[in-house]
Amino acid sequence: MTGLDSLYQELILDHSKHPVGNPLHDVGDAAHADSHQKNPVCGDEITLRVAVDGDRITEVSWEGTGCSISQASASMLASLVEEEIEGDGMTRADAAALIERFREALRSRGSIPLDEETFGDAAALSGVSKFSARVKCAMLAWVALEDGLGRA
């Protein structure tokens, strides 16, 4: 294992043990949608809540059970959205583009790495793309966000 792989493994374990955006937050009267996603192959489950104000995402929170990859991926996604909200904000279109790029990289079998500048800590999940059985674990929260935005 290379030093970078070891660092990525530590980052994944840290996010799974100390998750960002967990548990689900009460968003009051804000427009929001919940999306529950399950990976029937391994039993991972995520319920993600996305709150919006018009075209802008105002909050993402989640809760779930499963492997460290699915839990870390949800935490990394929540962290990434949180950082964007604190900055210029994240629009639905920004989120859709991010999800599509994440999906493309994870389906690439390692040929398309996730850019750390764009994906932050989630770039640590690049190596998951080499293991097709684990791609669904990493995608679970991202699919939940995509579904939630479609219904919010």
Side-chain angles (χ1 to χ4, degrees):
M1 180 181 301
T2 69
L4 187 57
D5 289 338
S6 178
L7 177 65
Y8 281 172
Q9 185 177 30
E10 287 178 33
L11 191 56
I12 289 168
L13 290 174
D14 186 53
H15 267 279
S16 69
K17 291 178 183 176
H18 309 285
V20 175
N22 185 318
L24 288 173
H25 300 162
D26 181 2
V27 294
D29 293 335
H32 70 280
D34 290 356
S35 176
H36 181 79
Q37 300 293 318
K38 183 175 182 174
N39 182 349
V41 175
C42 66
D44 294 342
E45 291 189 51
I46 296 282
T47 299
L48 182 137
R49 177 171 294 149
V50 59
V52 296
D53 182 8
D55 191 41
R56 297 260 175 213
I57 297 171
T58 58
E59 185 173 9
V60 168
S61 61
W62 64 278
E63 59 188 23
T65 58
C67 70
S68 60
I69 291 173
S70 71
Q71 302 303 286
S73 183
S75 175
M76 291 168 172
L77 174 60
S79 178
L80 184 60
V81 172
E82 187 177 285
E83 288 173 17
E84 289 294 319
I85 291 169
E86 291 172 2
D88 295 337
M90 181 179 279
T91 65
R92 292 171 186 259
D94 293 338
L98 197 67
I99 293 164
E100 189 52 40
R101 288 179 60 198
F102 188 80
R103 179 179 284 124
E104 180 182 17
L106 265 90
R107 290 182 175 168
S108 76
R109 299 206 179 258
S111 65
I112 303 172
L114 292 165
D115 174 41
E116 191 173 333
E117 191 171 313
T118 303
F119 290 95
D121 287 352
L125 297 167
S126 287
V128 171
S129 68
K130 297 174 187 171
F131 306 97
S132 58
R134 303 313 299 246
V135 168
K136 287 185 180 184
C137 302
M139 283 297 307
L140 205 58
W142 299 72
V143 169
L145 177 58
E146 184 175 50
D147 178 57
L149 285 171
R151 296 186 297 122

